[in-house]
Amino acid sequence: MGTFSLLLGFFLRNWFILSKIGGTPSWAFVCNGISLLIYVFLYFLVDIKRYSTRWGNLFRFAGRNSLTTYLAPDVIYFVCWGWGLSFFYKQTSSQLLAIGGSMIWAFLMLGFAWLLTRMHIRLKL
């Protein structure tokens, strides 16, 4: 199903752009395919091969404080942009720099989630 969804999403790019903002079918199928393939891969590693799950501790605080972790980057973006600071990796034509900067940002947000959890700051619905 993951491979089928991924291929269908790329096939639909002939008629729909790949856009999260537009919520296009191609974007939905590509994301669904990637998610299913990652799920199957993790299921194979953890449940079938019985590999250690200690690597998952990296994401523990973000999972326990998910709403705060989800909203914190937007707050940080708006505060930084209000002060006139920009995120260099977002305004670049280099795909490698954009991906690398995004990965660094994601790990910084994991650290920020850890810090907020240690400070007992949580958002709840």
Side-chain angles (χ1 to χ4, degrees):
M1 286 302 299
T3 304
F4 175 75
S5 291
L6 194 61
L7 292 174
L8 182 60
F10 283 119
F11 175 73
L12 288 174
R13 284 185 65 199
N14 295 319
W15 298 278
F16 303 98
I17 62 171
L18 198 61
S19 171
K20 177 183 176 183
I21 302 297
T24 61
S26 55
W27 173 79
F29 278 111
V30 167
C31 289
N32 185 49
I34 291 169
S35 298
L36 285 170
L37 291 173
I38 289 173
Y39 175 78
V40 168
F41 177 70
L42 290 175
Y43 173 78
F44 176 76
L45 284 181
V46 174
D47 289 341
I48 307 266
K49 289 293 187 179
R50 302 280 186 207
Y51 284 119
S52 172
T53 58
R54 278 188 259 163
W55 55 268
N57 289 338
L58 175 65
F59 306 102
R60 180 178 34 176
F61 295 105
R64 289 183 180 168
N65 203 357
S66 58
L67 185 58
T68 306
T69 306
Y70 178 75
L71 294 175
D74 291 332
V75 172
I76 293 170
Y77 280 142
F78 289 123
V79 168
C80 289
W81 286 331
W83 287 341
L85 302 172
S86 66
F87 294 90
F88 68 93
Y89 68 91
K90 289 186 168 284
Q91 288 82 23
T92 184
S93 60
S94 168
Q95 294 176 350
L96 185 60
L97 185 59
I99 292 170
S102 296
M103 290 178 67
I104 291 169
W105 180 254
F107 282 105
L108 287 173
M109 287 302 101
L110 288 174
F112 190 61
W114 172 81
L115 179 66
L116 291 176
T117 302
R118 298 281 298 181
M119 295 170 59
H120 303 289
I121 296 174
R122 302 180 72 114
L123 293 177
K124 294 182 182 181
L125 291 179

